[in-house]
Amino acid sequence: MSVDGRTIVLAGATSASGLAVATSLVAAGARVIATGRSDDRLAPLRERGAETVVADATSLTEMSGLASGLEAVDGVIPLVGGWRGGGGLAGQSDEDLHALLPAFEAVRATSRAFEGLLKVSDTGRFALVSSTAVARPLAGGANYVAVKAASEAWGRAVAQGFTKAARDAGGPLRAASVIFRAKALDADALAPAVTALWDAEADALNDRIIEL
Protein backbone atom coordinates (compact mmCIF):
# COMPACT_ATOMS: atom_id res chain seq x y z
CA MET A 1 0.00 0.00 0.00
CA SER A 2 1.13 3.51 -0.79
CA VAL A 3 -0.19 6.99 -1.44
CA ASP A 4 1.55 6.92 -4.82
CA GLY A 5 -1.03 7.45 -7.57
CA ARG A 6 -3.84 8.26 -5.14
CA THR A 7 -6.09 11.32 -5.45
CA ILE A 8 -6.22 13.38 -2.27
CA VAL A 9 -8.40 16.42 -1.61
CA LEU A 10 -7.07 19.02 0.83
CA ALA A 11 -9.99 21.28 1.70
CA GLY A 12 -9.17 24.72 3.04
CA ALA A 13 -5.49 24.20 2.30
CA THR A 14 -4.07 27.73 2.18
CA SER A 15 -2.42 27.57 5.62
CA ALA A 16 1.15 26.56 6.38
CA SER A 17 -0.18 23.11 7.28
CA GLY A 18 -1.91 22.80 3.93
CA LEU A 19 1.26 23.71 2.08
CA ALA A 20 3.33 21.22 4.09
CA VAL A 21 0.84 18.39 3.64
CA ALA A 22 0.47 19.08 -0.09
CA THR A 23 4.24 19.13 -0.54
CA SER A 24 4.64 15.81 1.26
CA LEU A 25 1.86 14.11 -0.67
CA VAL A 26 3.05 15.35 -4.07
CA ALA A 27 6.59 14.20 -3.27
CA ALA A 28 5.17 10.75 -2.47
CA GLY A 29 3.47 10.56 -5.87
CA ALA A 30 -0.09 11.56 -5.01
CA ARG A 31 -2.39 13.71 -7.09
CA VAL A 32 -3.31 16.55 -4.76
CA ILE A 33 -6.37 18.76 -5.26
CA ALA A 34 -6.22 21.74 -2.91
CA THR A 35 -9.12 24.08 -2.29
CA GLY A 36 -9.31 27.57 -0.87
CA ARG A 37 -11.45 30.67 -1.19
CA SER A 38 -8.69 32.79 -2.73
CA ASP A 39 -6.90 31.94 -5.95
CA ASP A 40 -3.97 34.14 -4.93
CA ARG A 41 -3.51 32.20 -1.69
CA LEU A 42 -3.64 28.93 -3.63
CA ALA A 43 -0.69 29.95 -5.80
CA PRO A 44 2.00 28.49 -3.47
CA LEU A 45 0.23 25.13 -3.61
CA ARG A 46 0.28 25.16 -7.40
CA GLU A 47 3.98 25.90 -7.25
CA ARG A 48 4.45 22.71 -5.19
CA GLY A 49 2.61 20.61 -7.78
CA ALA A 50 -0.96 20.58 -6.47
CA GLU A 51 -4.02 21.19 -8.59
CA THR A 52 -6.07 24.00 -7.13
CA VAL A 53 -9.78 24.81 -7.06
CA VAL A 54 -11.39 27.94 -5.67
CA ALA A 55 -14.10 26.54 -3.41
CA ASP A 56 -15.38 26.99 0.12
CA ALA A 57 -14.62 23.94 2.27
CA THR A 58 -17.53 24.79 4.58
CA SER A 59 -20.09 24.66 1.75
CA LEU A 60 -21.76 21.32 1.09
CA THR A 61 -22.90 22.64 -2.28
CA GLU A 62 -19.39 23.59 -3.38
CA MET A 63 -17.75 20.45 -2.01
CA SER A 64 -20.41 18.28 -3.65
CA GLY A 65 -19.81 20.09 -6.91
CA LEU A 66 -16.11 19.30 -6.67
CA ALA A 67 -16.80 15.66 -5.80
CA SER A 68 -19.17 15.23 -8.75
CA GLY A 69 -16.41 16.21 -11.16
CA LEU A 70 -13.94 13.61 -9.89
CA GLU A 71 -13.95 9.97 -10.92
CA ALA A 72 -12.07 8.78 -7.85
CA VAL A 73 -11.00 10.17 -4.50
CA ASP A 74 -8.82 8.23 -2.06
CA GLY A 75 -8.47 10.80 0.70
CA VAL A 76 -10.07 13.96 2.07
CA ILE A 77 -8.40 16.17 4.67
CA PRO A 78 -10.30 19.28 5.88
CA LEU A 79 -7.73 21.79 7.12
CA VAL A 80 -9.87 24.76 8.10
CA GLY A 81 -8.70 25.88 11.54
CA GLY A 82 -7.99 28.85 13.76
CA TRP A 83 -7.77 29.78 17.42
CA ARG A 84 -9.58 32.25 19.62
CA GLY A 85 -9.67 32.09 23.39
CA GLY A 86 -8.80 33.49 26.77
CA GLY A 87 -10.72 35.38 29.41
CA GLY A 88 -12.28 32.40 31.17
CA LEU A 89 -15.91 31.51 30.49
CA ALA A 90 -16.84 35.19 30.51
CA GLY A 91 -14.50 35.71 27.58
CA GLN A 92 -16.10 33.02 25.38
CA SER A 93 -17.92 35.43 23.12
CA ASP A 94 -20.46 34.58 20.44
CA GLU A 95 -18.22 36.37 17.95
CA ASP A 96 -15.32 34.07 18.74
CA LEU A 97 -17.53 30.98 18.55
CA HIS A 98 -18.84 31.99 15.14
CA ALA A 99 -15.27 32.57 13.94
CA LEU A 100 -14.29 29.05 15.06
CA LEU A 101 -17.33 27.20 13.71
CA PRO A 102 -16.07 26.98 10.09
CA ALA A 103 -13.60 24.29 11.21
CA PHE A 104 -16.52 22.06 12.21
CA GLU A 105 -18.55 23.09 9.18
CA ALA A 106 -15.70 22.00 6.90
CA VAL A 107 -15.55 18.58 8.57
CA ARG A 108 -19.30 18.16 8.02
CA ALA A 109 -19.37 19.41 4.44
CA THR A 110 -16.36 17.49 3.18
CA SER A 111 -17.28 14.18 4.80
CA ARG A 112 -20.82 14.34 3.43
CA ALA A 113 -19.76 15.40 -0.05
CA PHE A 114 -17.04 12.78 -0.49
CA GLU A 115 -18.43 9.88 1.54
CA GLY A 116 -19.55 7.92 -1.50
CA LEU A 117 -16.22 8.23 -3.27
CA LEU A 118 -14.25 7.30 -0.15
CA LYS A 119 -16.39 4.19 0.40
CA VAL A 120 -15.71 2.84 -3.09
CA SER A 121 -11.97 3.58 -2.97
CA ASP A 122 -9.85 0.60 -1.98
CA THR A 123 -7.97 2.89 0.42
CA GLY A 124 -10.34 5.72 1.32
CA ARG A 125 -9.07 7.96 4.09
CA PHE A 126 -10.78 10.85 5.91
CA ALA A 127 -8.74 12.68 8.53
CA LEU A 128 -9.29 15.78 10.63
CA VAL A 129 -7.05 17.80 12.92
CA SER A 130 -8.09 18.26 16.55
CA SER A 131 -6.43 19.29 19.78
CA THR A 132 -5.18 17.53 22.90
CA ALA A 133 -7.21 20.14 24.79
CA VAL A 134 -10.31 18.05 24.05
CA ALA A 135 -9.12 15.62 26.73
CA ARG A 136 -8.72 18.43 29.29
CA PRO A 137 -10.89 21.46 28.46
CA LEU A 138 -10.03 24.79 30.06
CA ALA A 139 -12.47 27.64 30.66
CA GLY A 140 -10.45 30.06 28.55
CA GLY A 141 -10.61 27.74 25.56
CA ALA A 142 -14.18 26.49 25.92
CA ASN A 143 -15.36 27.77 22.53
CA TYR A 144 -12.35 26.29 20.77
CA VAL A 145 -12.53 22.93 22.54
CA ALA A 146 -16.28 22.65 21.98
CA VAL A 147 -15.75 23.02 18.23
CA LYS A 148 -12.90 20.48 18.26
CA ALA A 149 -14.94 18.03 20.33
CA ALA A 150 -17.85 18.33 17.90
CA SER A 151 -15.46 17.71 15.01
CA GLU A 152 -14.09 14.62 16.73
CA ALA A 153 -17.60 13.27 17.34
CA TRP A 154 -18.42 13.80 13.68
CA GLY A 155 -15.19 12.10 12.59
CA ARG A 156 -15.98 9.08 14.76
CA ALA A 157 -19.46 8.93 13.26
CA VAL A 158 -17.83 8.84 9.81
CA ALA A 159 -15.73 5.91 11.04
CA GLN A 160 -18.84 4.04 12.19
CA GLY A 161 -20.42 4.68 8.80
CA PHE A 162 -17.43 3.15 7.04
CA THR A 163 -17.61 0.10 9.31
CA LYS A 164 -21.34 -0.36 8.74
CA ALA A 165 -20.99 -0.01 4.96
CA ALA A 166 -18.31 -2.70 4.86
CA ARG A 167 -20.35 -5.00 7.10
CA ASP A 168 -23.51 -4.52 5.05
CA ALA A 169 -21.59 -5.26 1.86
CA GLY A 170 -20.06 -8.38 3.37
CA GLY A 171 -16.57 -7.21 2.44
CA PRO A 172 -13.41 -6.01 4.16
CA LEU A 173 -13.09 -2.55 5.64
CA ARG A 174 -11.21 -0.37 3.16
CA ALA A 175 -12.06 3.17 4.30
CA ALA A 176 -10.91 4.79 7.53
CA SER A 177 -11.65 7.98 9.44
CA VAL A 178 -8.81 9.24 11.62
CA ILE A 179 -8.39 12.05 14.16
CA PHE A 180 -5.04 13.78 14.63
CA ARG A 181 -4.61 15.51 17.99
CA ALA A 182 -1.89 18.10 18.54
CA LYS A 183 -1.06 20.30 21.51
CA ALA A 184 0.30 22.96 19.17
CA LEU A 185 -0.03 22.09 15.49
CA ASP A 186 3.33 21.56 13.83
CA ALA A 187 2.99 21.45 10.05
CA ASP A 188 6.20 19.46 9.74
CA ALA A 189 4.77 16.77 12.02
CA LEU A 190 1.34 16.71 10.41
CA ALA A 191 2.59 16.30 6.83
CA PRO A 192 4.32 12.90 7.20
CA ALA A 193 1.53 11.64 9.46
CA VAL A 194 -1.04 12.37 6.75
CA THR A 195 1.12 10.83 4.03
CA ALA A 196 1.54 7.66 6.13
CA LEU A 197 -2.23 7.05 6.25
CA TRP A 198 -1.93 5.03 3.05
CA ASP A 199 0.79 2.80 4.48
CA ALA A 200 -1.56 1.02 6.89
CA GLU A 201 -4.69 -1.07 6.51
CA ALA A 202 -8.05 0.57 7.19
CA ASP A 203 -8.89 -1.67 10.14
CA ALA A 204 -5.74 -0.45 11.91
CA LEU A 205 -6.73 3.18 11.39
CA ASN A 206 -10.49 3.52 11.48
CA ASP A 207 -11.82 5.42 14.53
CA ARG A 208 -8.26 5.95 15.76
CA ILE A 209 -6.93 9.03 17.55
CA ILE A 210 -3.30 9.75 16.67
CA GLU A 211 -1.38 12.25 18.80
CA LEU A 212 1.23 14.31 17.02
Side-chain angles (χ1 to χ4, degrees):
M1 292 181 60
S2 167
V3 76
D4 185 29
R6 303 295 181 181
T7 297
I8 316 299
V9 175
L10 303 181
T14 56
S15 64
S17 294
L19 185 60
V21 172
T23 301
S24 179
L25 288 170
V26 169
R31 175 194 180 192
V32 175
I33 301 171
T35 80
R37 292 183 294 178
S38 165
D39 188 60
D40 287 343
R41 294 188 64 191
L42 286 167
L45 291 144
R46 287 193 292 272
E47 293 171 2
R48 300 294 178 91
E51 300 172 32
T52 60
V53 178
V54 176
D56 184 351
T58 69
S59 168
L60 178 59
T61 299
E62 294 189 27
M63 290 296 101
S64 296
L66 175 59
S68 67
L70 297 172
E71 293 183 359
V73 171
D74 303 295
V76 176
I77 320 292
L79 291 168
V80 177
W83 157 260
R84 290 195 181 192
L89 285 182
Q92 305 305 294
S93 69
D94 290 350
E95 179 185 1
D96 285 350
L97 177 61
H98 294 152
L100 292 165
L101 278 175
F104 176 54
E105 293 167 346
V107 169
R108 291 185 70 249
T110 54
S111 61
R112 294 174 68 197
F114 290 97
E115 181 186 28
L117 288 170
L118 292 174
K119 283 181 176 178
V120 299
S121 167
D122 59 356
T123 56
R125 300 289 184 266
F126 181 79
L128 62 94
V129 180
S130 184
S131 170
T132 55
V134 171
R136 188 175 182 275
L138 301 178
N143 276 335
Y144 175 77
V145 174
V147 169
K148 290 299 186 183
S151 296
E152 287 199 10
W154 192 276
R156 297 195 67 191
V158 173
Q160 190 277 331
F162 288 157
T163 298
K164 184 177 185 300
R167 183 175 63 245
D168 290 348
L173 179 66
R174 299 192 184 278
S177 176
V178 177
I179 296 164
F180 291 113
R181 279 185 183 172
K183 182 175 182 179
L185 184 57
D186 179 352
D188 291 333
L190 177 64
V194 170
T195 302
L197 290 175
W198 288 266
D199 294 337
E201 298 290 345
D203 56 6
L205 292 172
N206 197 38
D207 203 15
R208 182 178 169 192
I209 295 174
I210 300 174
E211 293 204 5
L212 300 177

